Amino acid sequence: MGSFVLPMGWWVLVCVLWFGCIGDVKAGETVEGIVFVDGKTPIAKTDEDFICATLDWWPPEKCDYGTCSWGHASLLNLDLKNSVFLNAVKAFSPLKIRLGGTLQDKVIYQTEDKPEPCIPFAKNSSQMFGFTGGCLPLVRWDELNSFFNQSGALVIFGLNALKGKAIQPNNTATGPWDSSNAASLIRYTVKRGYNIYAWELGNELSGTGIGVGIDVNTYASDTIVLHDLIYDIYKEVNAKPQIIAPGGFFDPGWFQQFLAKTVGSLNVITHHIYNLGPGSDEHLIDRILNPTVLDNGGDVFRNLHNVIRTSANSATAWVGEAGGAYNSGRNGVTNAFVFSFWYLDQLGLASTYDTKTYCRQTLIGGNYGLLNTTTFAPNPDYYRLSNTGYFLLTVFPFALLLHKFPLRVIDITAMFKASLGSFPEVRPKCSSVAPVNGKKCFVNQLFRESNAPCIRSLRKAISRRHPTSHKHRWEHDCPCPKVDFNRSLTSLRKHRHHRHRSTATPLHNKQVSGKVREEYHLTPTDGNIQSRTVLLNGKALTVDSSGLIPVLEPVRVNSSEPIRVAPYSVVFVHMPNAAVPACR
């Protein structure tokens, strides 16, 4: 693929929502804002490889609400020789990939001493999760590891935690974990020299669980068994894999007890996030664009952070799986441009509360993949993660922008003034990427009303006002923004011929005045936020005929100029000459 060299310096990410022609600010009126960065001390830090994505077990017969969206995206049938797929993963160098999901606790592993044929998953509505058990053939495990080695991925493998357990009428699983089958797979993996970053025990079995649950005492005992097993099998290996659990939904009391009972045996405590509700919700876009809904997503991160902070356990927090809308997401929403406003907000919230890694559901598969299930072409969120070298390249693009370096999170104060008066002072967060010799930082920003901006971090909303409706396209009397990438942002009003300046958000920093900055403006095709094609500085990002991911080229702007942002857009700003002590 085309190379993307990330220069050193300071990064800012700006996300903008514009909820139609409502509110008190007149269309076309310029609203100026000032962003103050408290860059003295970081408040949190992520892993160097913060970005993660999942690969699942679902077969093609997995359907939700009459739609079958998984195709051949299963770990058992995914085309590992597809050049686009390989290039997409290699672009992250490395990308953490979590292998697991709902069916992982129904998988057995073929072994060398028992090479009988593996029986695949089969649809059966009378079985838990609607499928019979399945099997991972050793030849497929070899193929997967060959791909991971070639792509440079860091692999997290989810083990079957229900092996040997009895499912009771009250949907609890009792009895000790039978680790023999897992041990055979792990020994084979070490024997073949395959690098596994982490082994995770179970999927959504904590608390009451999804389908079935395991009580905290039993789960803690099983985790200790896994820890001892790993340290025995890897005794001749210097670099030991991480021990991860429970990969479930956050339950304060359960998680607190689990941490207390696994001191010394657990490296990472993982939780899952589907806070937007079901993919069948026809109002899913409204929820994504509702700052109150986005704000509420911070409660889990905050509460888990407090549980860990007061625990004697040294385990750190990961989001092990996050698809936003459960049951495979929603086509045209969770795989479209609009989903980035939820995704980037989540990344910011997570990083603010010291989450070390965030795994997106999915890399490919369902309606929430970073890659198109059929063509493997990047969906919008990929690019959001690739531009900053930290974790924001829209589906693949957004993720590409943000993945490379650890983030240090610092405070930001944003204030806006308009003719109608003053917006209240707000305090979003800024996460900065800090490689050895450089700094990167980003801010998430939403336009909530017509020409009235509200800065928010990827983590914290700034204003509580929320419009009752919005248009998914700019039409009628709403200004249709047009970005002139020769350094001016204008908007055109439909059915009128005069041109006027759009909302602008200036960033003031004495240390960058007179210098040149780099900007990456990401917008949806034709202003349609349900588009799956992203424009970078006005040019569509598409994979070429050779399967190469496009090179991300910035526009260069004099740093004394304000940062001008179009409605419903994402902007990455790189300031190579800014000095932020917290990012050193």
Side-chain angles (χ1 to χ4, degrees):
M1 61 170 287
S3 61
F4 181 73
V5 179
L6 295 169
M8 298 178 295
W10 196 60
W11 283 85
V12 173
L13 166 66
V14 183
C15 295
V16 178
L17 304 185
W18 198 342
F19 288 86
C21 294
I22 60 176
D24 301 318
V25 180
K26 297 178 181 179
E29 182 176 356
T30 298
V31 179
E32 293 188 354
I34 302 176
V35 176
F36 300 94
V37 178
D38 181 2
K40 298 182 181 67
T41 306
I43 62 175
K45 184 179 178 180
T46 73
D47 279 350
E48 180 175 333
D49 30 48
F50 177 68
I51 290 302
C52 169
T54 69
L55 289 175
D56 216 306
W57 292 98
W58 289 119
E61 294 78 17
K62 160 66 171 171
C63 304
D64 303 277
Y65 320 116
T67 300
C68 306
S69 59
W70 286 86
H72 287 80
S74 166
L75 285 164
L76 298 175
N77 57 31
L78 182 62
D79 182 4
L80 302 176
K81 296 182 179 180
N82 184 282
S83 61
V84 178
F85 185 48
L86 177 62
N87 290 332
V89 176
K90 287 175 68 174
F92 284 84
S93 301
L95 174 66
K96 283 176 178 167
I97 300 181
R98 182 236 183 192
L99 314 181
T102 300
L103 296 182
Q104 83 175 52
D105 295 303
K106 305 190 76 170
V107 179
I108 61 172
Y109 320 115
Q110 189 180 51
T111 61
E112 287 187 294
D113 56 334
K114 294 181 180 179
E116 61 264 19
C118 272
I119 300 175
F121 293 107
K123 192 170 181 62
N124 187 327
S125 59
S126 66
Q127 297 285 313
M128 184 172 63
F129 307 127
F131 286 87
T132 62
C135 179
L136 173 63
L138 284 180
V139 65
R140 183 59 175 178
W141 185 231
D142 293 337
E143 292 169 352
L144 285 165
N145 279 280
S146 175
F147 174 84
F148 298 142
N149 180 64
Q150 187 179 4
S151 63
L154 300 178
V155 179
I156 298 95
F157 188 87
L159 295 164
N160 180 349
L162 292 179
K163 191 75 166 61
K165 294 186 181 293
I167 309 300
Q168 304 302 322
N170 63 352
N171 293 324
T172 60
T174 58
W177 176 49
D178 179 355
S179 63
S180 59
N181 188 228
S184 295
L185 178 68
I186 296 170
R187 287 193 180 93
Y188 178 83
T189 300
V190 173
K191 174 183 174 182
R192 300 283 292 186
Y194 298 149
N195 293 318
I196 302 297
Y197 184 86
W199 296 94
E200 183 177 29
L201 185 62
N203 180 82
E204 297 177 357
L205 301 173
S206 58
T208 57
I210 301 298
V212 63
I214 301 176
D215 75 87
V216 67
N217 292 320
T218 303
Y219 216 129
S221 296
D222 295 343
T223 302
I224 293 171
V225 169
L226 174 61
H227 170 272
D228 294 344
L229 180 68
I230 292 297
Y231 272 72
D232 176 56
I233 297 175
Y234 281 84
K235 59 179 176 291
E236 302 297 331
V237 181
N238 291 328
K240 305 293 192 292
Q242 302 277 292
I243 308 299
I244 297 179
F249 292 97
F250 178 63
D251 178 317
W254 197 100
F255 272 57
Q256 186 176 43
Q257 292 182 62
F258 184 69
L259 284 169
K261 296 174 184 295
T262 55
V263 174
S265 296
L266 184 71
N267 301 114
V268 175
I269 188 164
T270 48
H271 65 108
H272 294 181
I273 294 176
Y274 288 90
N275 62 328
L276 294 175
S280 60
D281 186 357
E282 296 181 356
H283 302 287
L284 191 58
I285 289 180
D286 298 276
R287 292 181 59 76
I288 292 169
L289 300 181
N290 186 334
T292 300
V293 172
L294 298 180
D295 283 349
N296 291 339
D299 293 341
V300 168
F301 297 112
R302 182 185 306 108
N303 294 335
L304 177 56
H305 177 65
N306 289 334
V307 167
I308 293 174
R309 185 171 52 84
T310 57
S311 171
N313 202 315
S314 61
T316 58
W318 284 20
V319 173
E321 181 181 313
Y326 58 82
N327 289 341
S328 305
R330 186 178 182 85
N331 189 35
V333 179
T334 54
N335 53 9
F337 189 93
V338 66
F339 199 49
S340 297
F341 296 112
W342 174 83
Y343 186 31
L344 298 183
D345 202 76
Q346 277 283 305
L347 293 176
L349 283 167
S351 62
T352 297
Y353 291 104
D354 219 26
T355 300
K356 301 304 183 183
T357 292
Y358 191 107
C359 297
R360 166 66 176 263
Q361 174 81 345
T362 60
L363 175 57
I364 187 169
N367 288 316
Y368 35 36
L370 293 178
L371 302 177
N372 184 292
T373 303
T374 304
T375 67
F376 292 82
N379 283 325
D381 282 346
Y382 174 94
Y383 293 108
R384 309 259 196 277
L385 300 178
S386 60
N387 195 10
T388 69
Y390 129 45
F391 58 69
L392 293 164
L393 187 67
T394 290
V395 181
F396 236 77
F398 290 168
L400 258 185
L401 288 171
L402 298 172
H403 80 284
K404 288 188 179 293
F405 302 110
L407 294 180
R408 293 176 184 173
V409 183
I410 58 180
D411 282 324
I412 277 193
T413 298
M415 295 188 300
F416 282 94
K417 295 182 179 180
S419 60
L420 67 160
S422 297
F423 286 82
E425 179 176 309
V426 295
R427 306 188 72 82
K429 305 297 181 185
C430 178
S431 296
S432 67
V433 182
V436 176
N437 296 311
K439 289 77 74 180
K440 295 179 176 64
C441 200
F442 69 88
V443 161
N444 192 27
Q445 189 173 356
L446 289 76
F447 276 118
R448 305 258 315 283
E449 300 171 359
S450 176
N451 283 16
C454 169
I455 285 214
R456 78 182 265 127
S457 75
L458 298 184
R459 303 63 58 217
K460 179 178 179 65
I462 308 155
S463 170
R464 302 298 173 190
R465 291 180 296 170
H466 175 62
T468 58
S469 64
H470 65 275
K471 294 184 181 297
H472 298 166
R473 291 176 180 270
W474 304 305
E475 51 190 13
H476 304 303
D477 284 335
C478 287
C480 299
K482 177 182 179 182
V483 179
D484 178 347
F485 292 101
N486 289 321
R487 299 292 63 71
S488 65
L489 175 67
T490 61
S491 62
L492 301 175
R493 184 179 300 280
K494 192 174 182 180
H495 303 312
R496 299 189 183 183
H497 300 290
H498 66 275
R499 183 184 301 256
H500 54 82
R501 294 295 289 269
S502 174
T503 304
T505 305
L507 178 74
H508 298 278
N509 189 318
K510 294 179 181 179
Q511 294 164 311
V512 299
S513 180
K515 305 293 184 179
V516 173
R517 65 172 182 260
E518 296 174 340
E519 297 183 358
Y520 302 80
H521 293 252
L522 295 159
T523 54
T525 300
D526 297 326
N528 178 11
I529 60 175
Q530 291 186 257
S531 172
R532 294 175 68 175
T533 300
V534 180
L535 306 182
L536 172 61
N537 300 331
K539 182 179 179 181
L541 292 173
T542 57
V543 175
D544 69 16
S545 58
S546 300
L548 296 178
I549 304 299
V551 176
L552 305 181
E553 297 286 356
V555 291
R556 291 170 174 78
V557 188
N558 189 305
S559 292
S560 64
E561 292 294 315
I563 299 173
R564 297 184 171 92
V565 185
Y568 286 126
S569 69
V570 175
V571 178
F572 292 89
V573 182
H574 175 230
M575 300 176 180
N577 300 293
V580 182
C583 297
R584 291 173 182 169

